[in-house]
Amino acid sequence: MATTETGQTTTETRHTTTETGQATTETGPTTAAAHGGWPSPVDAALAAAHDGRPEYVGTVGDELWWTAPRPAEGGRRALVRRRADGTEEGVLPAPWNVRSRVVEYGGQPWAATARPTGGPLVVFSHFPDQRLYVHEPEAGADSAPRPLTPVSGFGGGARWVDPVIHEDRGEVWAVLEEFTGPAPTDVRRVLAAVPLDGSAAEDRGAVRELSDGRHRFVTGPRLSPDGRRAAWIAWDHPRMPWDGTEVQLAEVTSDGTFRGARTVAGGPAESIPQVTWDPAGRLLFASDRTGWWNLYRAEPTADGGLGEPVPLHPRDEEFAGPLWKIGLTWFTPLENGLIAVVHGKGTTALGILDPDSGTLVDVAGPWTEWAATLAAHGTRVVGVAAGPRSAYELVELDTRTGRTRIVGAAHRDAVDPAYYPEPQVRTFTGPGGREIHAQVYPPHHPRFTGPADELPPYVIWAHGGPTGHAPLVLDLEIAYFTSRGIGVAEVNYGGSTGYGREYRDRLREQWGVVDVEDCAAVAAALAAEGTADPARLAVRGGSAGGWTAAASLVGTDVYACGTIIYPILDLRGWAKDETHDFESQYLEGLVGPLDGVPDRYVERSPIEHVDRITAPFLLLQGLDDVICPPVQAERFVARMAGRGVPHAYLAFEGEGHGFRRADTMTRALEAELALYTRTFGVTRTDVPDLDLRS
């Protein structure tokens, strides 16, 4: 039952099925209680246990394979297979960890092929040593993965990503990232062929390089159906792949070498994040030449070039996204000539495109976000999708019937869905009248509501990237707060993807300005309309979002407190030698050239202006983070000492950029809640104490 403002009683009943299979019902009177103090079954351990999502889906014969998170197993990524009879099982036991570190964010870490006898053959990158291994899962209990590549003693070693098995050639082709010295920028990347017989495991000379190394970054080669051409994507500093990339096309000779590689599409101001071939041997790629990532098709020419690209479905929507990881897949051709594609503006859908007629038909269902991973098998397509009421799961579409079904990692409600947040997709107005996209999650509980005379506190979430996007999906970390009476607003600030190139280019040379302004504008709007308590607003973010959170505490007086997670805090340090190679020149576009605008680097760095911080904050950091290293967090905390501002610094052994271990995520989430309850004046007895020092 619920009590209305007039004092009348209404009845609210909800039914659900939990992970245990038990049906539950939430019914009873709604009690008014202080926001932030509501009891909730969504605890931090539960949120941590359900963190992460399936990735890198692929078909192996009639089976479906993917990688899956294992927070309770030290955060490793498991390789999982779904057999034809529907049973799921791990391909590799712990501690095997199927994850690449190429460009630190990794990418496609495995490849497998079905064989007539002996079962499948799989090649994968093992996270601890980054070597490629080959494994035959059905070779017997004593069979173990065998290394294919050597260990390198230089810097970060030799790493591999985006493998493709060419069993007829006795090789696996992949991207090799090889360090040549101790600095994070002492690195080269080439396409390389590794013998499947293991002869390169102790002999670097047995690795056959396919490309000439003239480009700083490359994606894995895609072989044409006739085996005569290979295509891949390349780019160079200071560009990021969403700024400009080039499609490389080379002839593949009879002995497997690449000849005559040349640029056939793209350029410094055109981003092409994926390229592949259709069954007829035509090149398919996504390009943002119109301001939106749309699909194109082109015929290779006899002279090794490419004919005029033809747009397949021009529309002011995104048919691809930012290439943060090597080997992401937003579209895949089917054997019947159709193309499965993830597309949308803000939210995304899975559509089936007829490239000849231009017809695009979307899949029906509750999913609002499709990840950049697709696999096709005959007329069936499998992707990874989620929605506001479900976490990421594997969804199969039968293109003959239009029917969908869940085929892996099926969502199971960890708690009664009555505790899930109910999002509102909003567009706010920022400085200069610009649009700001956001998802707002008001406090929500089946049996509690806030007092009539009290507005709820809100936390403004700034996503990472900053060339990223906050998806509209179920997130138990958000539910952790909303079910306790604390609202959350995820802001897709200027610079975010999903809204065209003009929207993401708003952040060019404006990092620390536009992102901060947009988050503050959303917070102020929520307060002005009576949705949020203006005295109890917080800001929170990780990585680039951690930067925005810290910059917001320095540059605005909007927030009562903030949570800063593995952040960038010192632009000059990050621009020189305090990050990895992939993003080492990212600030050229986000801030400007260091030599040209050195004062801007000082002006915007939170570490240079700790005297402006007056709000309490929590700083969370992984000690193995090479992207946003702990040295910046440690310098920041040292400068805050003795300034009279309450703050806490929690550093976690064994964690890198993005927390993966269940115990870390649990501790971090509880500490964040402890900051808010103390700052917002909320009384709770179930929150571990947070030692705030001044």
Side-chain angles (χ1 to χ4, degrees):
M1 295 182 179
T3 302
T4 66
E5 290 183 356
T6 61
Q8 296 176 327
T9 299
T10 62
T11 301
E12 181 179 291
T13 303
R14 298 176 184 265
H15 301 276
T16 186
T17 302
T18 65
E19 286 184 342
T20 62
Q22 297 176 328
T24 63
T25 300
E26 287 292 341
T27 184
T30 298
T31 302
H35 290 103
W38 305 345
S40 173
V42 186
D43 61 24
L46 184 71
H50 289 79
D51 190 77
R53 68 186 189 194
E55 289 185 302
Y56 307 116
V57 61
T59 56
V60 184
D62 291 330
E63 296 184 359
L64 187 64
W65 291 31
W66 66 93
T67 68
R70 295 289 185 262
E73 298 176 22
R76 79 179 183 104
R77 296 289 303 190
L79 185 59
V80 179
R81 66 193 291 189
R82 179 188 184 272
R83 294 184 179 271
D85 63 4
T87 58
E88 291 183 18
E89 62 184 53
V91 177
L92 298 156
W96 292 105
N97 190 348
V98 183
R99 179 181 160 210
S100 171
R101 281 189 63 184
V102 169
V103 300
E104 293 302 341
Y105 293 106
Q108 178 70 39
W110 69 274
T113 183
R115 300 180 295 178
T117 59
L121 182 76
V122 58
V123 171
F124 66 94
S125 172
H126 181 44
F127 183 74
D129 61 16
Q130 287 297 290
R131 301 172 82 181
L132 281 183
Y133 287 79
V134 64
H135 183 47
E136 300 173 79
E138 296 175 10
D142 296 332
S143 174
R146 307 184 306 276
L148 293 180
T149 57
V151 176
S152 170
F154 283 107
R159 305 169 177 180
W160 303 84
V161 73
D162 209 4
V164 177
I165 297 173
H166 295 281
E167 198 171 11
D168 57 331
R169 302 174 183 269
E171 295 177 325
V172 55
W173 293 0
V175 175
L176 165 61
E177 178 181 80
E178 187 172 37
F179 284 77
T180 58
T185 52
D186 294 335
V187 62
R188 63 191 294 267
R189 298 175 186 88
V190 295
L191 306 180
V194 177
L196 283 169
D197 62 8
S199 57
E202 305 297 335
D203 180 10
R204 171 62 178 82
V207 173
R208 188 168 63 90
E209 295 192 8
L210 300 171
S211 62
D212 56 16
R214 61 190 172 97
H215 289 290
R216 189 74 171 186
F217 302 95
V218 290
T219 63
R222 298 296 182 256
L223 191 63
S224 62
D226 62 8
R228 296 172 54 192
R229 296 179 176 90
W232 65 96
I233 297 167
W235 70 97
D236 294 286
H237 280 145
R239 284 177 281 153
M240 299 301 286
W242 40 87
D243 296 326
T245 58
E246 302 169 4
V247 175
Q248 302 291 296
L249 190 62
E251 177 189 352
V252 181
T253 64
S254 58
D255 64 357
T257 60
F258 288 8
R259 184 170 63 190
R262 58 192 288 191
T263 298
V264 295
E270 179 182 353
S271 170
I272 297 177
Q274 185 191 343
V275 62
T276 192
W277 302 88
D278 73 6
R282 295 168 294 193
L283 203 62
L284 299 174
F285 61 92
S287 165
D288 71 347
R289 59 181 61 185
T290 66
W292 298 85
W293 278 304
N294 279 191
L295 290 186
Y296 296 83
R297 184 174 66 189
E299 294 271 3
T301 58
D303 64 356
L306 202 64
E308 184 64 24
V310 177
L312 298 182
H313 193 80
R315 184 188 287 186
D316 288 353
E317 287 187 11
E318 306 285 33
F319 285 71
L323 192 64
W324 278 102
K325 300 179 180 182
I326 306 299
L328 297 180
T329 304
W330 290 272
F331 59 89
T332 188
L334 309 181
E335 61 184 18
N336 57 9
L338 301 178
I339 303 171
V341 60
V342 173
H343 72 100
K345 183 177 180 181
T347 59
T348 56
L350 174 64
I352 301 299
L353 173 65
D354 184 335
D356 296 323
S357 69
T359 303
L360 178 66
V361 179
D362 288 343
V363 172
W367 308 287
T368 51
E369 183 72 14
W370 290 78
T373 178
L374 292 174
H377 182 55
T379 59
R380 297 177 184 270
V381 181
V382 178
V384 176
R389 309 292 288 179
S390 62
Y392 287 93
E393 52 195 354
L394 275 68
V395 181
E396 180 190 79
L397 166 68
D398 185 338
T399 60
R400 295 172 302 177
T401 64
R403 294 179 179 176
T404 57
R405 61 174 183 149
I406 310 303
V407 292
H411 170 79
R412 295 287 185 270
D413 290 316
V415 296
D416 189 327
Y419 292 93
Y420 292 167
E422 297 182 348
Q424 303 168 358
V425 178
R426 300 279 305 271
T427 300
F428 295 88
T429 301
R434 65 177 181 249
E435 289 186 344
I436 307 168
H437 302 287
Q439 283 103 232
V440 177
Y441 297 84
H444 179 75
H445 196 289
R447 292 184 292 106
F448 283 87
T449 188
D453 60 349
E454 178 190 285
L455 293 175
Y458 261 79
V459 184
I460 305 299
W461 283 26
H463 64 69
T467 311
H469 183 84
L472 181 65
V473 299
L474 176 64
D475 185 340
L476 290 185
E477 282 199 5
I478 293 177
Y480 178 75
F481 294 107
T482 58
S483 64
R484 285 168 169 76
I486 299 173
V488 171
E490 291 184 300
V491 182
N492 282 311
Y493 49 81
S496 302
T497 48
Y499 308 100
R501 181 151 190 157
E502 182 180 352
Y503 193 86
R504 72 177 189 268
D505 277 352
R506 288 181 185 175
L507 212 58
R508 292 196 67 81
E509 299 195 3
Q510 294 298 309
W511 198 35
V513 178
V514 166
D515 50 326
V516 170
E517 290 178 346
D518 285 0
C519 287
V522 171
L526 292 173
E529 70 186 23
T531 297
D533 184 345
R536 295 192 296 172
L537 295 168
V539 63
R540 180 248 217 204
S543 187
W547 153 271
T548 300
S552 296
L553 295 183
V554 167
T556 77
D557 59 0
V558 173
Y559 307 103
C561 63
T563 301
I564 306 167
I565 310 171
Y566 35 84
I568 300 162
L569 296 165
D570 181 351
L571 290 179
R572 288 186 298 180
W574 211 72
K576 291 179 179 179
D577 58 3
E578 288 183 353
T579 191
H580 62 140
D581 183 64
F582 176 58
E583 293 178 276
S584 61
Q585 296 185 38
Y586 195 5
L587 298 186
E588 290 265 331
L590 290 175
V591 181
L594 177 58
D595 292 340
V597 289
D599 291 346
R600 191 181 295 170
Y601 280 68
V602 176
E603 176 189 345
R604 294 190 192 169
S605 292
I607 201 166
E608 301 289 350
H609 307 289
V610 295
D611 57 304
R612 300 178 188 172
I613 298 177
T614 59
F617 67 86
L618 169 65
L619 178 55
L620 303 169
Q621 178 69 49
L623 291 177
D624 292 347
D625 193 341
V626 297
I627 296 174
C628 296
V631 63
Q632 293 212 349
E634 291 160 2
R635 287 202 303 267
F636 187 77
V637 171
R639 293 192 184 187
M640 287 299 305
R643 293 189 173 273
V645 178
H647 62 275
Y649 175 51
L650 301 182
F652 299 96
E653 295 277 358
E655 291 285 11
H657 196 69
F659 300 152
R660 294 175 180 271
R661 300 182 177 186
D663 54 348
T664 298
M665 292 185 285
T666 299
R667 177 70 181 109
L669 202 54
E670 290 177 340
E672 185 176 354
L673 179 60
L675 172 69
Y676 301 152
T677 55
R678 181 177 297 191
T679 306
F680 297 156
V682 174
T683 301
R684 297 195 70 97
T685 59
D686 58 346
V687 181
D689 185 46
L690 180 64
D691 183 15
L692 290 174
R693 301 182 180 183
S694 301

